[in-house]
Amino acid sequence: MAYFQMSRLALKWVFAKPVTSRYPFEPRQAIAGSRGRLVFTRDTCVYCTVCAKKCPTGALVVNRAQKRWTIDRLLCITCGYCVEACPKESLELTTDHGSPTVTKDREFC
Amino acid sequence: MPALRDWGMPALVTLPMSRTIIPFGPQHPVLPEPVHLDLVVEDEKVIEARPSIGFVHRGLEKLVEKKDYVEFVYIAERICGICSFIPGPTYCQAIEALMNIPVPPRAHYLRTVWGELSRIHSHLLWLGLMADAVGFESLFMHSWRVREKVLNIIEATTGGRVIFGSCKIGGVRRDIGADAIRQMLADLKKIEQDTRDITRVFLDDSSVKDRLCGVGVLSRQDAYELGCVGPMLRASGVAQDMRQLGYAAFKDLDFEPITRTEGDSYARCAARCQEIFQSIDLIRQALGKIPDGEIAVKVTGNPNGEFMARTEQPRGEVAYCIKANGTKNLQRFRVRTPTFANLPAMLKLLPGCDLADVPVLVLTIDPCISCTER
Amino acid sequence: MTPISQEQTLELIPVDKLLERVQAMHQQGYRLVQISATRLPDKLELTYSFALEGRVAQLRLHLVDDVPCVPSISSIYWCAFLYENEIHDLFNLAVEGMAVDFKGTLYKTAVKYPFGSTKPPVAKAGTATATSAASTPAPVPPPPSATANTR
C-alpha cells in the first residue's frame, strides 16, 4: 500500500496556474462549433413558417400575415433543426450563449 | 421515530430498543439525484434497507403517443443527462433495425467515438463523486478538472456539452473534420496523462483504499442472479459487455471486457478507472480506421414490428423495447435503464455494512435516478 | 472483435404456464433483462425478456381480464420485484406474491395508474354503466392524455 499518492499531484498544482477563470470579469472563451444562441436575420426572411413547424419545443412562432418572427428563449433548446430547415439561411446558431433572460416574454423580431 | 410507509411487513413499531431507523435521502450530500432509503440500524450496523424511488417520474415513455418517431430522438436523448449520448443512438438503432435502414459506416464510427467520449466523461464524473463520498475533496476537484477537457472536446465536435443532439435516425447530424480529429487525438493524450495521475491516487493511495477495499462484496453468483449490469457485474468477474454484440463500429474494433474478481467497492472503482483507458484506446482505434463517405441516409416510411436494442451505457446494459404498428407514432417505448437493474444488488449489499459506508455503497452502483424514472 | 450471437425469440404463453417456463429459463442460466407491459386497446401485453450472453428469449402474456392478475416471478428471480411494482403502479396490474410489495407507492404519480388498465379509455365519465363499475373494483383510470408532467 502506498501513502501520500496525492502529494505529487497537490505539489504540482501549488505552482501551476489555476484552471478556473474569474468568470464575470473574464468571459468564457467560446468554443468553435458550439451550438449557442439562435440569431435571426430579418432582411432575408420570407416568413415561410418552416422553422416554427420544425421546432420540437414550440419556441418559435411565425406569423406570415403580420410578418412577425418570435422566439421564446426559455423554450429554445438550441437543437439547430430550424437552422437546417431554413430555405433562406436567415437563421444561424452563434457560438456564444448570450446574456441571461430577465423576463419570460417572447422576443419579437 | 420517523413515519414509515406501510410495506405490508411486520410493523416497525415492534423494533427492539437498540434499533433505529435513519432516513437517507432524497436530499443527501452524496446523492446527485433523489433516492430515499430507510435504513434500519442497530448500533452502527445497517440491518435492513428499504428503498423508495419515484420522486422524479417524468412519464417520457408515454410521450411516444404524442411525438412522431423522428422527433422522439430528442426525448430519447434527454432520458439521461450523464449517459448523455448513448440513449440517442440506441433508440435510432432500434428504429433502423425495424426499418432496415442502411446506416453509412462513417456514421457508425462517429457514433462510436461520441459514445466512448460520453463514457469517459461519465466515469470521470463518477470518480469525482466517489472521491467526494469518501471525503477527498481535492481529488474530486481534480477528477472534474479532467472531465472538463472531455466536455470541451464534446462541445467542439457536437455543439452540446451534455446533450449532444448529434444523432438522428439514419445517421448523424455532424461530421468531424480531419483537423478536429487531429485536435481530438492531441487532447486525448493530455486527458490520458491526467487520468493516469488521478487513478493512481484512487487505486494506490491508502486512505482511499481503506474506504473501498472489502466494502460491499458481491459474489459472482449473486451479481449474475440479481441481474446486475455494467461495471458492477464485471467487477464481480462476469465478462459481459454489450459492446460485444458488435453494434455501431464495435465489430471492427479490438477490445476485451474489463473484469475484476474481488467484487468489492474497490474492484468496481478499479473497473471504471480501467474502462476510461479502454475507451481512450477504442476512440484511437476508431479514429484510425474511420472510413470516408456519407454521414446520413434519408429516411422514409414508418416503422412496423418489435425490436429490443441493447447497448452498453457507462452504467451498464440498457434495453430499449420498441413496438411500432406502421404509423408515425410508436405504440410502446420501454426503457430498462442500467440503474434499475443494479438497484436490487444495492439492496442486497446494504444489510450488514457500517452506516458510514452507506454513501460509498450507494455510489458504487453509480446511481442515475432520473434515467431510472424516465 | 467478432460479435457474439444476437438472436431474439418471442413466444406467446398462457398465464398458468408462466412460472413453469420462467423456472426453466432460470435453470438454463438465463438472466432477467426486463419485464415490460404494453396497453393495447383490447388487452394488456406483458413481455418477460431473458438473456444468456447475446441471446434474448422473450415470453409474452396476453391479459384480457378487466382487472388482470399475474403471479409474481420474484420467487425465482428476486430482482423482478422492482419491475413488477413498476408495472403495478403504472398499469394497474395486480401481481400476486411479490418478494417486496410496495403496495402502489413506488411511483408517486399525480395520476393513479397513468399508463391505464386493459379497459379502453372511457369517452365520457357519465357513460360508464353501473354493472361495469361493479365489475371493476379498481378506479377506472383517466384517459392517457391526463398523464402528469408531460408536455
Side-chain angles (χ1 to χ4, degrees):
Chain A
M1 196 175 278
Y3 296 89
F4 302 113
Q5 287 290 310
M6 190 68 188
S7 51
R8 228 183 80 184
L9 200 60
L11 267 179
K12 184 180 153 196
W13 284 95
V14 166
F15 300 106
K17 255 176 59 182
V19 280
T20 49
S21 62
R22 291 166 54 75
Y23 168 63
F25 314 107
E26 210 180 292
R28 177 177 186 255
Q29 210 150 27
I31 291 179
S34 175
R35 291 195 311 265
R37 189 180 166 84
L38 185 63
V39 176
F40 172 69
T41 319
R42 202 196 166 104
D43 303 341
T44 49
C45 183
V46 290
Y47 302 94
C48 62
T49 71
V50 167
C51 52
K53 279 184 197 131
K54 284 276 175 186
C55 183
T57 60
L60 301 181
V61 174
V62 182
N63 190 325
R64 190 183 300 202
Q66 295 175 356
K67 297 212 164 188
R68 191 176 256 181
W69 184 94
T70 64
I71 179 170
D72 187 339
R73 292 276 174 203
L74 294 175
L75 278 180
C76 178
I77 54 171
T78 61
C79 59
Y81 254 46
C82 49
V83 180
E84 282 173 20
C86 185
K88 293 282 173 191
E89 296 179 4
S90 307
L91 293 168
E92 191 194 355
L93 278 177
T94 56
T95 51
D96 74 293
H97 288 253
S99 50
T101 312
V102 279
T103 57
K104 282 188 174 180
D105 302 337
R106 299 189 74 87
E107 205 171 292
F108 290 86
C109 293
Chain B
M1 181 174 292
L4 269 174
R5 289 204 322 252
D6 177 17
W7 271 60
M9 287 181 173
L12 283 161
V13 197
T14 59
L15 285 177
M17 284 304 284
S18 58
R19 293 194 180 179
T20 325
I21 295 160
I22 296 187
F24 179 88
Q27 303 296 329
H28 190 275
V30 303
L31 290 173
E33 288 165 283
V35 61
H36 175 82
L37 293 168
D38 282 318
L39 302 169
V40 182
V41 177
E42 195 174 287
D43 297 335
E44 283 285 294
K45 282 260 180 282
V46 176
I47 305 291
E48 198 188 340
R50 295 159 183 204
S52 129
I53 57 170
F55 292 93
V56 285
H57 187 253
R58 294 172 288 170
L60 289 182
E61 288 177 352
K62 192 77 181 168
L63 267 181
V64 280
E65 292 170 13
K66 290 183 190 157
K67 296 273 177 188
D68 73 44
Y69 74 96
V70 179
E71 258 188 348
F72 200 76
V73 182
Y74 281 111
I75 295 156
E77 269 176 348
R78 279 160 178 79
I79 285 173
C80 185
I82 31 184
C83 316
S84 52
F85 184 67
I86 303 174
T90 313
Y91 170 78
C92 293
Q93 217 170 295
I95 298 282
E96 282 153 7
L98 282 181
M99 298 173 69
N100 287 321
I101 299 170
V103 181
R106 190 173 175 91
H108 273 321
Y109 272 81
L110 290 174
R111 285 179 185 183
T112 307
V113 168
W114 284 324
E116 292 309 304
L117 277 174
S118 80
R119 192 183 314 278
I120 297 173
H121 105 72
S122 170
H123 280 347
L124 282 169
L125 176 123
W126 180 83
L127 284 177
L129 291 176
M130 193 69 214
D132 191 41
V134 301
F136 208 148
E137 285 286 330
S138 58
L139 191 54
F140 155 64
M141 299 280 182
H142 280 291
S143 304
W144 283 32
R145 169 177 61 83
V146 182
R147 176 174 175 258
E148 198 61 30
K149 290 186 182 167
V150 185
L151 290 180
N152 283 349
I153 299 183
I154 293 170
E155 187 173 356
T157 52
T158 68
R161 272 163 64 82
V162 173
I163 304 293
F164 296 15
S166 55
C167 190
K168 68 174 181 185
I169 294 170
V172 291
R173 289 177 62 197
R174 268 205 198 199
D175 203 351
I176 307 183
D179 289 342
I181 286 178
R182 264 193 299 280
Q183 182 64 41
M184 193 194 285
L185 287 172
D187 288 345
L188 274 179
K189 207 168 190 173
K190 280 183 223 147
I191 289 165
E192 191 178 21
Q193 186 53 47
D194 285 352
T195 315
R196 219 173 275 289
D197 287 347
I198 290 166
T199 51
R200 189 182 294 126
V201 185
F202 273 102
L203 301 181
D204 293 342
D205 194 81
S206 59
S207 57
V208 180
K209 268 179 130 175
D210 280 348
R211 289 298 305 272
L212 301 181
C213 283
V215 174
V217 179
L218 189 65
S219 70
R220 186 192 154 97
Q221 179 70 20
D222 276 355
Y224 191 77
E225 286 272 309
L226 290 170
C228 291
V229 290
M232 186 92 177
L233 182 61
R234 293 196 283 274
S236 293
V238 184
Q240 180 196 288
D241 190 324
M242 282 307 125
R243 288 176 285 179
Q244 286 169 300
L245 292 177
Y247 65 89
F250 288 112
K251 51 188 171 299
D252 306 330
L253 306 178
D254 205 25
F255 79 103
E256 283 296 320
I258 283 163
T259 53
R260 307 279 299 193
T261 47
E262 305 95 317
D264 57 356
S265 298
Y266 179 76
R268 294 193 270 277
C269 181
R272 290 192 175 101
C273 288
Q274 282 171 307
E275 277 184 21
I276 298 177
F277 297 112
Q278 186 191 39
S279 292
I280 293 177
D281 179 50
L282 281 170
I283 295 175
R284 286 198 182 126
Q285 285 186 40
L287 289 180
K289 286 185 186 176
I290 191 163
D292 289 329
E294 287 290 303
I295 56 163
V297 289
K298 206 169 159 48
V299 178
T300 48
N302 289 325
N304 198 357
E306 272 181 61
F307 192 75
M308 183 162 97
R310 295 189 296 159
T311 56
E312 187 76 13
Q313 273 188 354
R315 283 155 194 76
E317 171 209 41
V318 65
Y320 279 36
C321 303
I322 282 178
K323 189 179 165 84
N325 56 358
T327 57
K328 69 180 179 27
N329 290 336
L330 299 179
Q331 209 164 15
R332 177 85 170 114
F333 169 67
R334 193 237 189 298
V335 188
R336 200 297 315 272
T337 56
T339 308
F340 207 81
N342 282 334
L343 275 177
M346 182 185 86
L347 300 180
K348 281 276 179 191
L349 286 179
L350 284 173
C353 77
D354 279 341
L355 185 61
D357 287 334
V358 171
V360 174
L361 279 179
V362 171
L363 265 183
T364 51
I365 75 158
D366 202 352
C368 177
I369 303 300
S370 67
C371 77
T372 301
E373 299 181 8
R374 290 144 353 247
Chain C
M1 69 184 298
T2 35
I4 55 177
S5 144
Q6 199 186 351
E7 60 173 310
Q8 294 190 4
T9 56
L10 180 71
E11 196 185 336
L12 188 67
I13 57 164
V15 179
D16 48 343
K17 281 272 190 319
L18 174 70
L19 287 178
E20 196 182 301
R21 291 299 311 272
V22 172
Q23 187 74 50
M25 286 284 180
H26 187 251
Q27 275 161 6
Q28 287 169 44
Y30 277 87
R31 74 191 166 86
L32 182 69
V33 175
Q34 59 104 22
I35 306 174
S36 95
T38 309
R39 192 170 64 87
L40 300 174
D42 52 341
K43 55 183 177 263
L44 185 72
E45 193 180 84
L46 271 189
T47 313
Y48 295 74
S49 307
F50 301 89
L52 183 62
E53 292 167 355
R55 258 171 302 155
V56 176
Q58 296 184 319
L59 301 177
R60 170 155 294 176
L61 302 179
H62 279 164
L63 306 166
V64 287
D65 309 339
D66 277 352
V67 181
C69 179
V70 290
S72 165
I73 64 161
S74 54
S75 56
I76 305 163
Y77 287 97
W78 185 74
C79 55
F81 78 89
L82 266 180
Y83 302 106
E84 288 170 346
N85 275 299
E86 184 191 31
I87 290 172
H88 169 263
D89 285 7
L90 299 181
F91 286 89
N92 192 16
L93 168 80
V95 186
E96 271 177 3
M98 284 186 280
V100 180
D101 194 345
F102 284 78
K103 301 206 163 170
T105 56
L106 181 67
Y107 285 123
K108 294 150 201 69
T109 45
V111 177
K112 263 256 186 248
Y113 312 123
F115 288 40
S117 71
T118 50
K119 282 184 86 64
V122 184
K124 274 183 205 159
T127 54
T129 57
T131 47
S132 74
S135 65
T136 52
V140 178
S145 60
T147 311
N149 305 336
T150 52
R151 246 177 56 83

